Amino acid sequence: MSEPLVIVGNGMAAARLVDELAKVALGRYAIAVIGDEPRLAYNRVLLSSVLAGETASHEIELRPADWWRERGVTLKYGCTVTEIDLGRRELKIPNEESIEFSKLVLATGSTPLRLKVPGAELAGVHTFRDSRHVDLLLTLGLARKRVVVVGGGLLGLEAAYGLAKAGAPVTLIHLMDRLMERQLDARAAALLKLLVESKGIEVLLNANTARILGESRVAGVELTDGRRIDADAVIFAAGIRPNTSLARDAGIPVNRGVLVDDHLQTGAPDVFALGECAEHRGICYGLVEPAYEQARVLAQHLAGRTAAYTGSVVATNLKVSGVNVFSAGDFMGPAGTDEIVLSDERRGTYKKLVISDGRLIGSVLVGDVADALWYLELIRNRASVARIRNDMMFGRSTAMPAEAA
Ligand SMILES: Cc1cc2nc3c(=O)[nH]c(=O)nc-3n(C[C@H](O)[C@H](O)[C@H](O)COP(=O)(O)OP(=O)(O)OC[C@H]3O[C@@H](n4cnc5c(N)ncnc54)[C@H](O)[C@@H]3O)c2cc1C
């Protein structure tokens, strides 16, 4: 008889895990996926494109209902798991009997942070994480509401762009002195700011939110330097927190995320975690690629094969149409490294390659990102670039004409 394997969370990591399990352990497990969102798993990364009106909401489903059925997966959506009973190997869900498991996988993702400032609970303050948020933000755009987006990272920029494209006047405020400071150096960030402003978005840097103004609903934002911005709505896009409460309440060891080893095993027997809720070797990843790598390893492990997850080299791509940005690896160029830089502000292009001990270790690209995947491959492979060093800035086709052909 198949062993009952239950996955909590029906997001991107869960869908990929089922996919991988179907390849290597079909029939071994009776899989149930329990998710609290009221729809089939979808590509969350594409929510930005849905908000920008470039993709329809129904087009982002990862797999159709038939796909899940054909693999014998029991799907429960619109259903929140409220408790794990490790002793009984059971999960609690509202208004139903308990669900038994032999193996349990936590894939609960993250929750957007709300700044702890006065007014943060007013009506008109929102976040940007799931498709219900997108529906709400689209209505703000349609109604031409003035919106302040708090946070100049990837999510904040994509929310600002989508809202502006939907018709809302948007001000993006960012605490730091440059946009996407965790992915870009100062020159790349300055160019990005110009490109974002060219999309009609007002960008305020060094802008620390003091409070949200308004009686019962948002009327504006006040910064710590006294500046005030009128607004009908505020979107917090200032970070995420891994969803760990289920694990913590069950006594499973948690730090920032649910702690896992190289087999994605938590501190409890037969309980695993992956994706944004997991913390591996001190890192909680906020991107989908590591979740997919973890899913492959976990499926192999659950199939009884030898596999280990040792961490991911992550890359970031901004999905704002006409504003191409890529960043990967150690892009700041620490002491002892070499930097090759090509900058043409008028054409909106900035490229930087960071080399250490004859290897490419980081890259930032703004404008021309045609060779992004090649650079990422070089960073991940840690291969010597001595032979192509003089030409690699000009792209693969120049540096390696034979291979690129
Ligand atoms: C707008 C947006 C744009 C993004 N763009 C990019 C990008 O360009 N590149 C990139 O790499 N990443 C991007 N990301 C991040 C990427 O979407 C996540 O890294 C990825 O979705 C993580 O997968 P996950 O399965 O761990 O979490 P999720 O996809 O968030 O899935 C977790 C699911 O678990 C559910 N859940 C939580 N608790 C419970 C419970 N107790 N019971 C039942 N269900 C529960 C949640 O509701 C959710 O549906 C973006 C995210 C957003 C929001």
Side-chain angles (χ1 to χ4, degrees):
M1 224 176 72
S2 307
E3 260 185 83
L5 181 148
V6 181
I7 306 174
V8 183
N10 188 20
M12 299 190 75
R16 182 53 70 97
L17 178 61
V18 173
D19 205 350
E20 296 285 350
L21 277 170
K23 287 186 216 155
V24 294
L26 197 66
R28 174 163 176 172
Y29 295 104
I31 303 173
V33 182
I34 307 171
D36 61 8
E37 287 187 67
R39 60 179 288 188
L40 290 172
Y42 56 87
N43 187 338
R44 196 173 304 284
V45 171
L46 291 179
L47 285 180
S48 308
S49 311
V50 176
L51 180 61
E54 290 155 4
T55 309
S57 181
H58 67 268
E59 286 170 357
I60 66 172
E61 232 157 58
L62 286 168
R63 300 289 186 185
D66 284 354
W67 183 89
W68 297 91
R69 243 194 320 272
E70 282 157 15
R71 279 149 193 82
V73 178
T74 306
L75 272 184
K76 276 184 185 291
Y77 40 86
C79 177
T80 307
V81 174
T82 53
E83 193 187 327
I84 305 168
D85 186 332
L86 285 179
R88 291 171 170 270
R89 292 196 173 223
E90 281 178 1
L91 299 176
K92 303 266 188 322
I93 56 176
N95 309 323
E96 275 200 50
E97 291 167 20
S98 307
I99 296 177
E100 288 180 10
F101 63 85
S102 155
K103 299 229 172 6
L104 175 66
V105 179
L106 301 174
T108 49
S110 302
T111 302
L113 292 174
R114 281 177 176 250
L115 295 189
K116 289 195 176 68
V117 292
E121 300 309 323
L122 285 174
V125 179
H126 309 287
T127 54
F128 180 31
R129 178 76 194 178
D130 67 36
S131 56
R132 292 162 294 189
H133 299 144
V134 171
D135 294 343
L136 210 145
L137 299 191
L138 280 171
T139 60
L140 295 176
L142 277 176
R144 306 262 184 277
K145 297 287 184 193
R146 296 162 305 172
V147 183
V148 169
V149 176
V150 179
L154 179 98
L155 264 187
L157 283 159
E158 291 183 359
Y161 170 68
L163 282 158
K165 212 167 160 224
V170 180
T171 303
L172 177 74
I173 65 177
H174 190 48
L175 180 62
M176 311 304 283
D177 62 357
R178 63 177 200 265
L179 296 171
M180 289 183 74
E181 74 283 351
R182 276 192 269 156
Q183 289 92 10
L184 301 182
D185 63 5
R187 289 175 76 180
L191 183 54
L192 173 61
K193 179 170 178 281
L194 289 177
L195 295 171
V196 169
E197 286 168 339
S198 76
K199 302 276 170 196
I201 296 163
E202 183 185 23
V203 179
L204 304 180
L205 298 175
N206 299 305
N208 194 359
T209 308
R211 61 190 177 115
I212 314 293
L213 304 165
E215 291 295 320
S216 59
R217 53 173 310 116
V218 171
V221 173
E222 186 176 295
L223 304 179
T224 49
D225 61 12
R227 278 179 288 176
R228 284 178 171 222
I229 308 137
D230 291 338
D232 304 302
V234 170
I235 316 301
F236 281 137
I240 51 175
R241 189 185 54 238
N243 289 326
T244 57
S245 58
L246 263 186
R248 180 182 290 112
D249 293 350
I252 298 169
V254 161
N255 185 33
R256 192 171 128 69
V258 183
L259 294 169
V260 294
D261 65 13
D262 290 359
H263 297 128
L264 288 315
Q265 161 97 47
T266 69
D270 293 325
V271 182
F272 303 84
L274 83 168
E276 284 193 359
C277 69
E279 177 173 332
H280 174 263
R281 298 191 186 180
I283 302 177
C284 294
Y285 294 97
L287 295 167
V288 75
E289 200 52 41
Y292 282 0
E293 290 174 21
Q294 292 170 357
R296 191 163 30 79
V297 170
L298 181 52
Q300 297 278 338
H301 182 69
L302 289 168
R305 302 184 183 182
T306 310
Y309 175 72
T310 53
S312 300
V313 175
V314 293
T316 305
N317 295 287
L318 189 67
K319 301 177 296 296
V320 170
S321 117
V323 183
N324 296 322
V325 174
F326 164 84
S327 158
D330 203 342
F331 63 88
M332 280 307 281
T337 58
D338 300 336
E339 291 175 15
I340 305 176
V341 173
L342 186 154
S343 174
D344 184 346
E345 198 173 299
R346 187 178 289 273
R347 290 194 57 199
T349 303
Y350 175 79
K351 298 168 91 176
K352 175 178 175 182
L353 301 176
V354 181
I355 296 170
S356 172
D357 292 331
R359 292 178 168 74
L360 185 66
I361 61 161
S363 170
V364 172
L365 308 175
V366 181
D368 176 4
V369 297
D371 284 293
L373 286 181
W374 180 53
Y375 293 138
L376 181 59
E377 204 179 292
L378 291 173
I379 295 168
R380 284 187 172 152
N381 292 346
R382 303 174 54 80
S384 166
V385 293
R387 204 169 48 85
I388 54 171
R389 182 177 167 131
N390 288 348
D391 295 322
M392 61 193 289
M393 173 57 84
F394 306 106
R396 183 176 198 159
S397 54
T398 305
M400 306 173 75
E403 284 89 339

